[in-house]
Amino acid sequence: MKFYNLFLLSINISLIFCLEPNQECEILNNYSSYFDDINCCKNENIECNESQSHIIRINLRNSIRTEMRDNFSLGTFLNQFPALEWLDISNNGLSGDLIIPYNTTLVELNASENSFDGKFVIPDNSEIETFFSNGEYKLRVLNINSNYFKGNLIIPKNSSLTIL
């Protein structure tokens, strides 16, 4: 009987730690039909941080649903994936402004080969420098080629982009 109770307890603990990636998988499935709601962490285009139960890497190259493209907002998307470090949204025909949220956890963003035709903004008050506890910077690689941005490209002084 004790073994059975211990087994049930371990199953319950496992389910608790697996809930969050499943929620993130469900959200991701709204953007692309290539991902399974339950097992998206096993998809080659996704990487999960199992210890924190979050998605940390998403490849949506050429796979965002047409109905999601017109109202795509990077800020809204990123708020749904609080531990995301790497994102590829290239070649999706996305348009409008591309605004990097001030509280982003991204280290690498590929937004190339879209139709972004508005402003490109990295906020002055961004927390780019505080992602890692040892003071390393956040966003390091940014690919925004083959877009139609208007206005000046302003990169904050605290930015540590190594590839633009």
Side-chain angles (χ1 to χ4, degrees):
M1 184 70 164
K2 288 182 181 182
F3 177 75
Y4 178 74
N5 288 340
L6 184 60
F7 175 75
L8 288 177
L9 179 63
S10 68
I11 294 295
N12 286 335
I13 290 171
S14 296
L15 288 174
I16 288 169
F17 286 107
C18 293
L19 284 178
E20 273 195 81
N22 287 344
Q23 291 170 348
E24 291 180 0
C25 292
E26 289 173 15
I27 293 167
L28 189 55
N29 200 35
N30 291 329
Y31 288 91
S32 177
S33 59
Y34 294 123
F35 306 107
D36 183 352
D37 286 353
I38 297 171
N39 294 315
C40 76
C41 290
K42 295 180 181 176
N43 187 297
E44 65 184 16
N45 293 310
I46 302 295
E47 183 179 334
C48 294
N49 181 337
E50 294 297 337
S51 65
Q52 293 187 11
S53 300
H54 289 290
I55 296 174
I56 59 170
R57 186 178 182 97
I58 301 174
N59 181 353
L60 286 171
R61 180 175 176 76
N62 196 31
S63 63
I64 295 178
R65 293 176 189 226
T66 305
E67 62 270 18
M68 298 302 285
R69 293 177 185 180
D70 293 336
N71 297 316
F72 182 84
S73 160
L74 183 63
T76 301
F77 183 85
L78 292 176
N79 283 336
Q80 299 173 88
F81 302 94
L84 193 62
E85 298 175 5
W86 187 94
L87 177 63
D88 185 341
I89 54 170
S90 63
N91 200 25
N92 277 295
L94 302 173
S95 60
D97 296 335
L98 182 63
I99 299 173
I100 308 292
Y102 77 94
N103 60 347
T104 185
T105 57
L106 284 177
V107 175
E108 184 170 336
L109 172 63
N110 183 353
S112 65
E113 301 175 34
N114 278 295
S115 298
F116 288 113
D117 54 358
K119 297 179 288 183
F120 170 73
V121 179
I122 299 176
D124 283 334
N125 64 342
S126 70
E127 298 174 4
I128 293 174
E129 79 282 4
T130 60
F131 178 54
F132 296 105
S133 61
N134 64 1
E136 291 183 34
Y137 297 102
K138 286 185 183 181
L139 190 60
R140 292 178 182 261
V141 178
L142 176 64
N143 185 349
I144 55 172
N145 73 3
S146 300
N147 281 289
Y148 307 98
F149 292 110
K150 296 176 184 155
N152 296 328
L153 176 63
I154 299 172
I155 307 228
K157 293 177 185 176
N158 64 345
S159 172
S160 69
L161 287 173
T162 56
I163 300 175
L164 175 62

